[in-house]
């Protein structure tokens, strides 16, 4: 069982989230079954007021969860200092059987929680609350993911044994083991880079023709290509070491915390791109989200492309 100030903070916040999220879940179900926007009874008036209160509670939880994701990553890195063998957050994630599933779920939840926040924002702009039913249904789904995430997080921190030796990122992201990660890292760099830049080109093309569904799909695929190429290719140039593939070490002081910047660029760019295909915004909002998405995605592409180019200019060879 691990109890550091950071872990205690996360546990206390999780407890508050579960209590308030469960209350919001109860009222969401009640509103979904009983609310009739065409009725003018006292019951409907009360339900409308409750829907506003529920939205405020959920908005607070999801905004906090999105920001808390960065704190969670920071906590993993911090814990690695007390685990024998761990050199970064990768060792902590691999220290228990729950870490990998938790990290994947947290990334998925990040996009779902942010999607609900956008739906709620659009719903509040409309006097008829046109997205009320949809955002409540999305919340019911998100609630179960939130509970699952909280459970996995508690299990992970409870299962960590600070006396057991764990694998460092060099072993986890090794290219010699017969693991899925080793297979991923053995993909031809030309194929990796071809997919990465081709998808970015398709994003630019979809922006030019203003096809929001194509733009959304390309951004969804780009997230996968960006993460795989970062681990398999671009990361090695940031470390200037061909055998170093860890996506967590990018978050450390030795590399100027560049990982935080890269992951934030990637999330903002792809999220606003994906959400364009899910919500029919007004013309002005749609154009703004196109520009935000393309701006941050381009920043990400320029930032990761800089490292191999700078390395080649400085040394005259590729890794």
């Amino acid at each position: 069982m691990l109890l550091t100030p950071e872990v205690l903070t996360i546990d206390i916040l999780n407890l508050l989230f579960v209590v308030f999220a469960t209350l919001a879940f109860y009222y969401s179900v009640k509103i979904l079954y009983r609310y009739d926007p065409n009725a003018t009874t006292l019951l409907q008036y009360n339900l409308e007021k409750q829907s506003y209160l529920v939205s405020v509670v959920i908005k607070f939880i999801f905004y906090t969860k999105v920001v808390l994701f960065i704190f969670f990553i920071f906590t993993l890195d911090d814990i690695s200092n007390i685990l024998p063998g761990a050199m970064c957050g990768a060792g902590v994630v691999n220290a228990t059987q729950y870490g990998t599933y938790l990290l994947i779920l947290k990334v998925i939840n990040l996009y779902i929680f942010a999607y609900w926040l956008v739906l709620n924002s659009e719903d509040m702009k409309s006097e008829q609350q046109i997205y009320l039913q949809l955002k409540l249904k999305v919340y019911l789904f998100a609630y179960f993911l939130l509970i699952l995430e909280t459970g996995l997080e508690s299990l992970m921190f409870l299962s960590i044994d600070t006396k057991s030796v764990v694998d460092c990122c060099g072993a986890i992201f090794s290219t010699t083991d017969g693991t899925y990660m080793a297979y991923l890292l053995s993909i031809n760099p030309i194929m990796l880079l071809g997919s990465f830049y081709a998808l970015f080109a398709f994003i630019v093309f979809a922006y030019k023709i203003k096809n929001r569904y194509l733009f959304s799909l390309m951004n969804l695929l780009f997230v996968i290509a960006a993460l795989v190429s970062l681990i398999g290719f671009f990361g090695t140039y940031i470390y200037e070491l061909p055998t170093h593939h860890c996506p967590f070490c990018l978050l450390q002081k030795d590399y100027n915390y560049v990982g935080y910047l890269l992951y934030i660029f990637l999330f903002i760019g792809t999220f606003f791109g994906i959400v364009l295909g899910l919500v029919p915004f007004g013309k002005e909002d749609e154009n703004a989200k196109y520009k935000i998405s393309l701006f941050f995605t381009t920043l990400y592409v320029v930032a990761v492309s800089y490292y191999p180019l700078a390395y080649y200019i400085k040394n005259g060879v590729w890794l």
Side-chain angles (χ1 to χ4, degrees), residues 55-157:
S55 297
V56 171
V57 171
I58 299 170
K59 186 168 75 171
F60 172 77
I61 294 172
F62 285 175
Y63 264 126
T64 312
K65 288 295 289 183
V66 170
V67 176
L68 200 60
F69 181 79
I70 297 173
F71 182 70
F72 172 76
I73 297 297
F74 167 80
T75 302
L76 292 183
D77 249 8
D78 191 56
I79 291 173
S80 67
N81 294 320
I82 58 174
L83 287 189
M87 297 178 68
C88 65
V92 183
V93 170
N94 201 49
T96 71
Q97 58 182 311
Y98 310 106
T100 304
Y101 299 113
L102 173 63
L103 190 63
I104 294 170
L105 182 62
K106 272 186 172 288
V107 173
I108 293 170
N109 283 354
L110 203 61
Y111 282 87
I112 292 174
F113 295 164
Y115 170 54
W116 187 93
L117 290 170
V118 171
L119 267 183
N120 181 61
S121 172
E122 291 302 302
D123 189 53
M124 289 300 175
K125 291 177 185 173
S126 162
E127 290 183 3
Q128 291 77 33
Q129 292 188 288
I130 54 176
Y131 293 117
L132 180 62
Q133 297 278 329
L134 176 60
K135 77 176 183 183
L136 290 177
K137 288 175 183 174
V138 170
Y139 173 68
L140 297 187
F141 176 65
Y143 170 77
F144 288 107
L145 295 179
L146 175 71
I147 297 299
L148 181 59
E149 178 187 316
T150 305
L152 278 176
E153 200 162 42
S154 300
L155 283 172
M156 188 190 82
F157 287 134

Side-chain angles (χ1 to χ4, degrees), residues 3-63:
L3 285 177
T4 65
E6 292 83 4
V7 173
L8 275 175
T9 303
I10 290 174
D11 285 341
I12 292 169
L13 286 174
N14 278 343
L15 180 63
L16 292 173
F17 292 152
V18 169
V19 171
F20 285 101
T22 303
L23 286 172
F25 179 84
Y26 167 76
Y27 283 104
S28 296
V29 172
K30 181 181 169 185
I31 295 164
L32 264 176
Y33 277 97
R34 304 185 69 180
Y35 182 64
D36 179 2
N38 299 316
T40 55
T41 62
L42 181 61
L43 172 66
Q44 299 307 315
Y45 178 67
N46 287 332
L47 288 174
E48 194 168 326
K49 286 198 295 184
Q50 288 172 3
S51 74
Y52 180 78
L53 180 61
V54 165
S55 297
V56 171
V57 171
I58 299 170
K59 186 168 75 171
F60 172 77
I61 294 172
F62 285 175
Y63 264 126

